[in-house]
């Protein structure tokens, strides 16, 4: 009736309301998953492509359809199909794998078996190939899947790091942005890679790819989500000697650390204090405490005083107090660039 009324009043600029589509059912999802798996076992990429395409259409129709697809076994079947066709031939099945990957980017969690399928060497090699390609959509889908995998299991970190082009592809997502979503996914993946592996080799490879100066550039005007992830990665890179060396060499490092303190979020402030502590504590003392002096000159001393009076966690409090003691050695001979007028009501413990 409403549609008929819209048609009758078309001359007044009224557009006809489209007929709502019937939501997909759990039975339909289970049935198409079974057909996809049957086609996969036969190696029939044409039929498999048709079925995957139908599932994509369902997913585009509504968020409810997406949830139904995700909750009824699609993840495992898609992961198994992706692995099977990757093993047969990545190049011959590239178009099909690209379609499956677009679905896999949002059907997580896959369950233990599904993770094993999509985290196999054959699957990861194909994913990294898409990550390093030129299609922006495929690059985004690849990094979204990688983010989920490395967040779930450390073994995927080790496997991924062994594949040529994986680390380069993740860094490229940041240096040649695809979308904010992809950038955040790449930063999250890198964070898990450098924190979940005890070997410093992975951190060193990211440093060699120029990640330290790249991250410093994006945090200057970056929004909260990007800054939190980027500083989390930088904090991890400062755990290795190569990362600290690049930090010492970069003129932006200390000014950016101090400027962003207390300006973005509590998490960012905690990360910045951690980084500053690492850089000051592990600085070569033959260099006349260059980092410590520079941090003092750009206002770190006063900002740390504010942090302490905000009631931080014991871990943050300990590092901030230790830094203040180090800064106190230089207070008598150095001036602070930040105006003390901003802190004139501060109760100073020194």
């Amino acid at each position: 009736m409403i549609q008929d009324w819209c048609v009758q009043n078309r001359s007044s600029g009224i557009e006809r309301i489209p007929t709502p589509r019937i939501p997909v059912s759990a039975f339909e999802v289970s049935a198409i998953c079974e057909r996809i798996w049957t086609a996969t076992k036969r190696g029939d990429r044409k039929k498999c492509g048709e079925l995957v395409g139908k599932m994509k259409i369902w997913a585009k129709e509504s968020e409810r359809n997406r949830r139904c697809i995700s909750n009824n076994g699609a993840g495992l079947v898609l992961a198994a199909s992706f692995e099977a066709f990757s093993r047969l031939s990545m190049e011959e099945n590239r178009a099909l794998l690209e379609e499956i990957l677009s679905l896999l980017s949002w059907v997580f969690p896959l369950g233990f078996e599904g993770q094993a399928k999509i985290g196999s060497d054959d699957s990861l090699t194909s994913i990294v190939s898409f990550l390093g390609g030129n299609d922006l959509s495929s690059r985004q889908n690849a990094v979204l899947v990688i983010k989920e995998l490395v967040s779930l299991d450390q073994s995927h970190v080790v496997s991924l790091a062994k594949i040529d082009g994986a680390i380069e592809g993740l860094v490229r997502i940041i240096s040649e942005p695809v979308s904010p979503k992809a950038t955040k996914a790449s930063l999250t993946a890198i964070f898990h890679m450098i924190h979940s592996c005890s070997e410093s080799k992975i951190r060193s490879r990211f440093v060699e790819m120029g990640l330290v100066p790249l991250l410093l550039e994006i945090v200057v005007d970056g929004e909260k989500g990007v800054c939190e992830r980027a500083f989390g990665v930088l904090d991890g890179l400062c755990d290795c000697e190569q990362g600290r060396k690049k930090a010492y060499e970069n003129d932006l490092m200390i000014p950016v650390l101090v400027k962003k303190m207390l300006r973005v979020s509590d998490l960012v402030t905690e990360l910045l204090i951690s980084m500053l502590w690492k850089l000051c504590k592990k600085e070569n003392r033959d260099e006349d405490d260059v980092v410590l002096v520079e941090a003092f000159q750009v206002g770190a001393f006063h900002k740390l005083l504010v942090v302490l009076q905000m009631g931080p966690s014991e871990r943050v409090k300990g590092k901030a107090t230790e830094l203040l003691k180090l800064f106190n050695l230089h207070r008598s001979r150095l001036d602070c660039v930040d105006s003390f007028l901003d802190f004139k009501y501060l109760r100073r413990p020194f």
Side-chain angles (χ1 to χ4, degrees):
M1 184 174 15
I2 295 175
Q3 289 176 329
D4 291 340
W5 180 85
C6 291
V7 172
Q8 292 171 6
N9 292 275
R10 184 182 300 171
S11 59
S12 301
I14 305 297
E15 294 185 5
R16 182 179 181 274
I17 299 173
T19 303
R21 294 182 180 274
I22 300 174
V24 67
S25 67
F27 175 79
E28 289 175 300
V29 174
S30 297
I32 199 171
C33 284
E34 186 175 341
R35 294 174 66 191
I36 289 173
W37 182 233
T38 300
T40 298
K41 288 189 290 186
R42 293 200 309 264
D44 188 347
R45 68 169 176 266
K46 182 179 179 181
K47 186 62 178 178
C48 195
E50 291 174 0
L51 295 169
V52 169
K54 186 175 182 179
M55 189 177 285
K56 282 189 69 175
I57 292 173
W58 286 348
K60 289 179 180 178
E61 288 177 358
S62 70
E63 186 61 34
R64 184 187 182 284
N65 281 0
R66 282 196 172 207
R67 289 195 300 270
C68 187
I69 291 169
S70 181
N71 294 335
N72 286 280
L76 172 58
V77 171
L78 291 170
S81 183
F82 190 91
E83 181 191 38
F85 283 105
S86 293
R87 186 182 295 120
L88 285 174
S89 173
M90 197 276 171
E91 290 307 318
E92 290 182 9
N93 299 305
R94 191 175 186 89
L96 172 59
L97 293 172
E98 194 171 9
E99 292 294 292
I100 297 175
L101 187 65
S102 69
L103 290 172
L104 284 170
S105 65
W106 54 263
V107 296
F108 278 82
L110 303 176
F112 180 79
E113 190 177 352
Q115 290 175 39
K117 296 289 185 183
I118 200 63
S120 68
D121 290 342
D122 290 316
S123 294
L124 286 177
T125 300
S126 293
I127 293 171
V128 170
S129 177
F130 286 117
L131 181 69
N134 294 320
D135 184 84
L136 298 183
S137 179
S138 295
R139 289 175 62 200
Q140 174 167 296
N141 292 330
V143 76
L144 290 172
V145 172
I146 288 173
K147 179 202 72 172
E148 295 293 343
L149 282 174
V150 298
S151 302
L152 293 168
D153 193 334
Q154 182 177 339
S155 64
H156 297 314
V157 172
V158 178
S159 301
L160 186 65
K162 293 178 181 178
I163 300 175
D164 290 340
I167 287 178
E168 291 81 356
L170 289 171
V171 174
R172 184 185 168 207
I173 289 285
I174 301 171
S175 62
E176 301 175 18
V178 174
S179 68
K181 184 177 182 180
T183 298
K184 291 177 182 178
S186 182
L187 289 170
T188 302
I190 294 171
F191 175 85
H192 285 289
M193 291 182 73
I194 65 176
H195 282 87
S196 63
C197 189
S198 58
E199 298 181 13
S200 61
K201 189 179 297 184
I202 291 180
R203 297 189 190 100
S204 299
R205 287 179 63 188
F206 277 114
V207 172
E208 290 166 5
M209 289 297 300
L211 192 56
V212 172
L214 182 59
L215 292 179
L216 285 172
E217 288 178 13
I218 69 171
V219 298
V220 172
D221 297 312
E223 49 102 352
K224 177 183 173 182
V226 170
C227 285
E228 289 180 341
R229 292 167 174 80
F231 283 127
V233 172
L234 280 170
D235 183 49
L237 294 179
C238 285
D239 284 329
C240 71
E241 185 178 348
Q242 296 95 323
R244 291 193 299 274
K245 182 180 178 182
K246 289 296 181 183
Y248 292 139
E249 293 173 355
N250 196 296
D251 293 337
L252 276 177
M253 176 60 80
I254 301 303
V256 167
L257 258 62
V258 176
K259 179 181 178 181
K260 291 292 182 179
M261 202 178 292
L262 297 171
R263 290 192 176 189
V264 183
S265 68
D266 291 343
L267 175 59
V268 166
T269 296
E270 180 177 344
L271 290 168
L272 294 174
I273 290 174
S274 173
M275 291 168 60
L276 192 58
W277 182 84
K278 291 172 185 176
L279 293 173
C280 290
K281 290 288 289 184
K282 298 184 180 183
E283 183 182 11
N284 188 339
R285 292 305 167 193
D286 295 333
E287 307 251 339
D288 294 326
D289 296 325
V290 173
V291 173
L292 194 65
V293 171
E294 183 182 3
F296 185 95
Q297 289 177 322
V298 295
F301 183 85
H302 290 150
K303 286 199 172 184
L304 287 172
L305 289 176
V306 175
V307 169
L308 283 181
Q309 297 203 18
M310 291 172 63
S313 65
E314 287 301 316
R315 182 174 56 181
V316 175
K317 183 178 179 180
K319 290 180 179 178
T321 301
E322 198 167 348
L323 283 168
L324 283 171
K325 290 178 179 178
L326 292 173
F327 287 138
N328 205 36
L329 300 174
H330 300 276
R331 283 183 65 207
S332 60
R333 62 186 181 89
L334 290 172
D335 292 324
C336 191
V337 171
D338 275 3
S339 172
F340 188 66
L341 290 176
D342 293 336
F343 305 94
K344 63 183 179 180
Y345 299 111
L346 189 65
R347 299 188 307 275
R348 302 175 67 179
F350 293 93

